[in-house]
Amino acid sequence: MIRFLISLLIIAMSLTALGQQGAKGKFIQFENVSPELQEIILKKFPTVETEKPDLELLDQMLKVLHKESQYEIVQLVERDGDLILRIAPSDQIKNLVFTGLYDVSTSEAELLFGWAKGQTITETQLQDGVERLTGLYRAKGYLRTKITYKVDRDSKQKLQAIVIVDTDKLTMIEKVTIQSANDELNKILIKRLKTLRRKALSDDELRSMQEKISEELSERRYLQAQIKGPTINYSKEEDRAELIYQIDDPIQYAFDFKGNLHYTQQRLIKLMNLEDYITTNPNVGPDLTVRLKNAYIAQGFARVEIQDREAVTKANYKKLLFEIKEGPRIKIDKWNFTGKISQEQKEYQNLIIDSASEIIQDGYFVKEELDAAISNLKVALQNQGFLTAKIISTRYQYNRERDRVTVYVNLDEGPLTKIAAVIFEGNTSFAVPALREQIKMEEGKPLYLNLIDESLTRVRGFYQNQGYLEMAITNEKTDLVTYNEDNTQATVKFVIREGPQIKASSILYEGNSFTQDNVIRAELEFKEGDILTPAKIDDSILRLQRTGWFNSIEIRTLEENTAISQRTVIVRVTERNPGLFTVGAGATNERDLTLRGYTGIGYNNIFGTGRGVSLRLEGNYNVTDIKYLETRVTFGYLEPHIFATKNRGRINITRSKLVTDYNEKKITET
């Protein structure tokens, strides 16, 4: 378009020059214009070679030339008193064509090149795309892939790039070799990887192979084994490959336990969490002892003691023995709260337990878990109005048998903060009593911090449900709550910017090139003149999503964040392909062998009306006994808006021929 305007400017300048100098010879000459195009121009405008054309006629000529030639640049210039009509091909690459694509879709390839229809592409993007596409093919196992491109002009003289793909042969995994000092392990791994032979040498297969080796080593407890490789040896033509993996430290571990009274051996192995455990530490025993001890402590065995030693050692095999002194599972016996407090002991205990982990709630002592639960007591007290509450100290004292503890907590609640006043500013549409009903804060009552956020949400929701969608509380991040000097009194002030009450004066529909406007309108929970609320908008989007006609739905107003109350509502959609095709087949061992199959087609937006039809065909055939084709044909019709309401109606008509008595081979047609 810019070039077209520049062309018009050139025309104006040229005509000015002609008007000053006079015309010489022919008024119009052609340059780089094919005889066919010249004939079209002269046929439509027969006087241009003999009479001086005006600006309107020249503008019409340029439009015709653009339309007929599809060239990017059309120019009209003045040279030696003559007007020269000239066309020049664009130097932008407009189209991308792939030849030889295999195992990669055209859309995937276009994505790698960063190109979409209607866009242009540079030569640098072409080169980068070739590298990415080559990398994708090599990752799939086409190691000798060669990709080239050439740039030429199509039938409309537009530049296009032709990408030529030569994948050559797929490289196959011919052999997998495992090298380690453990011959038995080598055989096990080769057997595990057998299914991956004769598959393509792709990144996915290499990743799968690595995962299978790691899984096998973990399951068999080769805890120190390190996987190296693979080294890949290719055949001369690079169509076959041998993978060589090296396994270092192929030592298998086994475990034995002594002194475990509370847990079984299987449970202890699970507590060590060996699924992802691989280590380069030569001393595996101490490492696993720490894991096992931490698992015991986390269950309340704070005094557990564990020693490890190698009970059996031979080539590529070690058995570790863990000698366990579990000790008692320590319980919390008593709670003792001291300091500046105002509530009963049980109240503080409940506040701690309510936010504690399950092991603490069960009454067992785990120091780290209990420390975390006690620290939460400060937050709980602040939510009750004790804004300056703090934990002074905590300690745990064992009884004589050291199987129970008493918990001592010294805390300072500080003063109780009460609400001195609740103030609303900026509310012109609703009186203060109506707003007070939305919050749970009253003068003279304690200030519960957890109620502040709840009150903000309720006030916003109250306004929005009345159509004030852009209402805001402007001071919620600054001075919503202010305190006196000793924090005993708090003032809560809501500074409200109401904004307009938003109504739908009109509704526009975008993106529905196929679906009729009235079909979308029937699904909306609002109409022209209605007050807009979040619930109406959300319900409308949900109803449109449930129809299955659209990939995405957006509803907003054109005049967002303005003082305008009567607004234009825009319903923007992207349509989904309304056609659906399914097919399937299978077999069961019913009456020895029965084959089954089905196919179906559907179209759920006929002529953009939302009406839908479907047809499904099913068939069963018993190969060994009945040898009769059972069939079921189902036709369905959907009416989306019965009698212009939001009610949907569906009718299904089914015709079937089924075997209803296998002994008498009786067939029923329905």
Side-chain angles (χ1 to χ4, degrees):
M1 184 65 187
I2 293 174
R3 290 175 174 170
F4 184 71
L5 293 174
I6 292 173
S7 299
L8 291 179
L9 182 60
I10 293 171
I11 293 171
M13 294 172 63
S14 302
L15 288 178
T16 301
L18 283 174
Q20 294 173 349
Q21 299 173 7
K24 303 176 184 178
K26 293 183 178 180
F27 280 99
I28 289 289
Q29 295 187 18
F30 297 99
E31 186 176 294
N32 293 334
V33 182
S34 67
E36 293 80 11
L37 286 176
Q38 291 185 38
E39 184 178 348
I40 291 173
I41 293 292
L42 294 175
K43 186 174 182 179
K44 286 183 176 289
F45 311 99
T47 63
V48 295
E49 285 194 306
T50 58
E51 296 181 9
K52 181 179 178 179
D54 57 19
L55 279 175
E56 183 179 354
L57 185 62
L58 290 172
D59 179 47
Q60 293 176 5
M61 288 171 55
L62 286 173
K63 288 179 179 178
V64 169
L65 201 54
H66 265 286
K67 181 180 178 181
E68 297 292 340
S69 68
Q70 301 297 321
Y71 283 86
E72 283 296 307
I73 303 173
V74 180
Q75 296 176 328
L76 190 63
V77 299
E78 187 269 338
R79 184 191 300 157
D80 297 331
D82 290 333
L83 285 179
I84 309 297
L85 193 59
R86 179 171 64 195
I87 57 178
S90 170
D91 58 355
Q92 292 183 320
I93 301 172
K94 285 284 190 178
N95 196 23
L96 191 59
V97 179
F98 295 92
T99 64
L101 276 182
Y102 179 75
D103 205 14
V104 174
S105 68
T106 302
S107 58
E108 284 180 289
E110 289 173 350
L111 189 62
L112 290 174
F113 279 76
W115 178 83
K117 287 180 172 58
Q119 297 180 349
T120 60
I121 188 170
T122 66
E123 193 147 356
T124 300
Q125 288 176 294
L126 276 176
Q127 294 168 354
D128 292 343
V130 165
E131 290 183 11
R132 286 191 285 267
L133 186 56
T134 302
L136 176 61
Y137 269 110
R138 288 181 177 168
K140 287 175 171 287
Y142 298 92
L143 301 185
R144 300 181 66 179
T145 296
K146 294 179 181 178
I147 302 177
T148 58
Y149 69 88
K150 63 180 180 179
V151 178
D152 60 13
R153 297 193 181 277
D154 61 15
S155 59
K156 296 180 180 179
Q157 291 302 303
K158 289 185 178 181
L159 278 185
Q160 69 174 0
I162 301 175
V163 180
I164 303 111
V165 180
D166 180 9
T167 56
D168 204 355
K169 296 178 180 178
L170 189 64
T171 302
M172 307 297 292
I173 301 172
E174 184 180 44
K175 184 179 180 182
V176 180
T177 300
I178 304 294
Q179 296 178 346
S180 79
N182 190 331
D183 292 337
E184 182 181 355
L185 175 62
N186 296 345
K187 293 176 183 178
I188 291 171
L189 292 178
I190 289 293
K191 185 178 180 180
R192 180 73 182 267
L193 301 175
K194 186 177 180 181
T195 57
L196 295 179
R197 289 180 53 194
R198 306 308 303 168
K199 289 193 174 183
L201 180 61
S202 66
D203 287 353
D204 288 343
E205 294 302 333
L206 288 175
R207 194 179 301 112
S208 176
M209 197 167 293
Q210 187 86 10
E211 289 172 356
K212 288 183 181 296
I213 294 174
S214 297
E215 288 170 4
E216 195 70 34
L217 293 174
S218 177
E219 290 170 5
R220 296 179 180 273
R221 297 178 193 148
Y222 286 87
L223 304 181
Q224 291 177 297
Q226 303 294 314
I227 307 169
K228 293 183 178 179
T231 301
I232 305 177
N233 294 331
Y234 298 99
S235 64
K236 185 177 180 180
E237 293 78 16
E238 292 188 335
D239 59 341
R240 290 171 288 113
E242 177 189 11
L243 308 185
I244 303 173
Y245 288 90
Q246 176 70 38
I247 310 295
D248 291 346
D249 299 321
I251 301 171
Q252 186 177 31
Y253 281 83
F255 309 110
D256 202 358
F257 301 90
K258 183 179 179 181
N260 51 303
L261 303 176
H262 192 81
Y263 296 113
T264 64
Q265 179 168 317
Q266 290 75 18
R267 176 62 176 164
L268 289 174
I269 291 175
K270 189 173 183 179
L271 287 175
M272 286 193 290
N273 191 22
L274 300 175
E275 286 78 7
D276 57 350
Y277 178 75
I278 294 291
T279 180
T280 57
N281 186 349
N283 298 317
V284 174
D287 198 6
L288 295 181
T289 296
V290 171
R291 284 190 169 217
L292 200 54
K293 186 173 182 178
N294 288 339
Y296 263 104
I297 291 173
Q299 295 300 316
F301 295 89
R303 294 167 52 199
V304 65
E305 296 179 7
I306 303 175
Q307 298 290 329
D308 68 273
R309 62 184 177 87
E310 292 184 3
V312 179
T313 302
K314 58 184 180 181
N316 301 319
Y317 178 85
K318 290 182 180 180
K319 177 180 279 190
L320 298 179
L321 173 63
F322 296 95
E323 297 177 336
I324 302 170
K325 295 180 180 179
E326 291 179 340
R329 193 177 190 187
I330 300 169
K331 300 205 71 172
I332 300 172
D333 188 26
K334 298 176 183 178
W335 297 81
N336 190 297
F337 297 92
T338 58
K340 296 179 180 179
I341 57 178
S342 62
Q343 305 179 54
E344 297 292 333
Q345 297 274 319
K346 192 70 175 178
E347 296 297 325
Y348 300 111
Q349 179 181 335
N350 290 339
L351 288 175
I352 291 174
I353 291 177
D354 286 346
S355 64
S357 63
E358 186 177 341
I359 192 73
I360 299 298
Q361 291 179 351
D362 289 342
Y364 293 105
F365 174 66
V366 178
K367 184 179 182 304
E368 290 76 11
E369 299 288 343
L370 189 53
D371 286 344
I374 291 174
S375 68
N376 290 335
L377 175 61
K378 176 182 175 180
V379 177
L381 289 171
Q382 288 174 340
N383 285 334
Q384 287 189 346
F386 298 96
L387 303 185
T388 61
K390 53 187 175 183
I391 308 299
I392 305 300
S393 63
T394 60
R395 65 186 178 91
Y396 311 117
Q397 182 174 318
Y398 286 90
N399 64 353
R400 180 176 298 178
E401 292 77 17
R402 296 181 64 80
D403 61 354
R404 295 178 178 271
V405 297
T406 299
V407 180
Y408 293 90
V409 181
N410 184 14
L411 59 91
D412 180 2
E413 280 185 341
L416 177 63
T417 303
K418 293 187 177 181
I419 299 173
V422 178
I423 301 170
F424 293 91
E425 289 185 3
N427 53 305
T428 59
S429 301
F430 301 99
V432 170
L435 297 178
R436 283 182 178 273
E437 290 180 5
Q438 307 306 314
I439 63 176
K440 296 181 179 179
M441 294 185 289
E442 300 178 22
E443 284 92 345
K445 295 293 181 67
L447 175 65
Y448 298 140
L449 294 184
N450 56 338
L451 289 182
I452 294 177
D453 286 340
E454 183 180 338
S455 297
L456 288 168
T457 300
R458 289 174 64 89
V459 171
R460 269 194 296 263
F462 173 75
Y463 266 94
Q464 290 173 349
N465 289 335
Q466 307 301 318
Y468 294 86
L469 299 182
E470 294 166 358
M471 173 270 183
I473 300 171
T474 60
N475 68 326
E476 66 174 295
K477 302 292 185 182
T478 53
D479 58 348
L480 180 70
V481 183
T482 55
Y483 304 93
N484 65 354
E485 291 184 358
D486 59 1
N487 290 317
T488 59
Q489 299 288 320
T491 298
V492 183
K493 182 170 66 174
F494 298 87
V495 180
I496 297 171
R497 186 181 69 236
E498 292 183 337
Q501 187 182 44
I502 298 172
K503 297 181 180 179
S505 64
S506 61
I507 304 174
L508 296 181
Y509 306 91
E510 293 183 1
N512 56 318
S513 59
F514 183 68
T515 307
Q516 297 176 14
D517 289 354
N518 64 299
V519 174
I520 300 177
R521 185 183 298 112
E523 297 294 333
L524 299 180
E525 294 294 334
F526 57 88
K527 59 184 182 299
E528 286 86 348
D530 283 358
I531 294 172
L532 284 182
T533 67
K536 290 179 180 179
I537 293 173
D538 292 343
D539 289 348
S540 298
I541 291 174
L542 183 60
R543 285 190 62 87
L544 288 170
Q545 287 173 337
R546 286 176 174 172
T547 63
W549 305 329
F550 309 109
N551 284 320
S552 65
I553 302 107
E554 178 189 7
I555 298 178
R556 64 179 184 84
T557 63
L558 183 63
E559 303 86 354
E560 284 180 353
N561 299 314
T562 68
I564 300 172
S565 175
Q566 298 290 336
R567 296 192 179 180
T568 300
V569 180
I570 298 175
V571 181
R572 181 178 290 116
V573 299
T574 56
E575 292 177 312
R576 182 178 294 171
N577 188 340
L580 179 66
F581 172 74
T582 59
V583 64
T588 71
N589 62 352
E590 182 182 358
R591 303 191 70 82
D592 294 332
L593 178 61
T594 299
L595 303 180
R596 293 182 174 177
Y598 70 89
T599 185
I601 56 174
Y603 199 90
N604 68 348
N605 197 358
I606 300 172
F607 301 122
T609 62
R611 297 184 175 93
V613 293
S614 62
L615 180 66
R616 181 180 174 92
L617 290 78
E618 303 176 44
N620 291 344
Y621 186 81
N622 181 254
V623 176
T624 58
D625 185 10
I626 302 299
K627 295 183 180 180
Y628 177 80
L629 180 62
E630 298 177 277
T631 60
R632 182 193 299 269
V633 180
T634 303
F635 172 79
Y637 172 75
L638 170 70
E639 177 63 38
H641 307 120
I642 299 178
F643 305 121
T645 67
K646 288 183 169 60
N647 297 315
R648 304 180 189 279
R650 180 184 294 277
I651 183 171
N652 288 329
I653 302 172
T654 301
R655 180 184 179 91
S656 63
K657 293 181 180 180
L658 304 176
V659 177
T660 54
D661 191 326
Y662 284 94
N663 294 325
E664 298 183 7
K665 298 185 178 181
K666 180 181 178 181
I667 298 165
T668 301
E669 182 175 353
T670 304

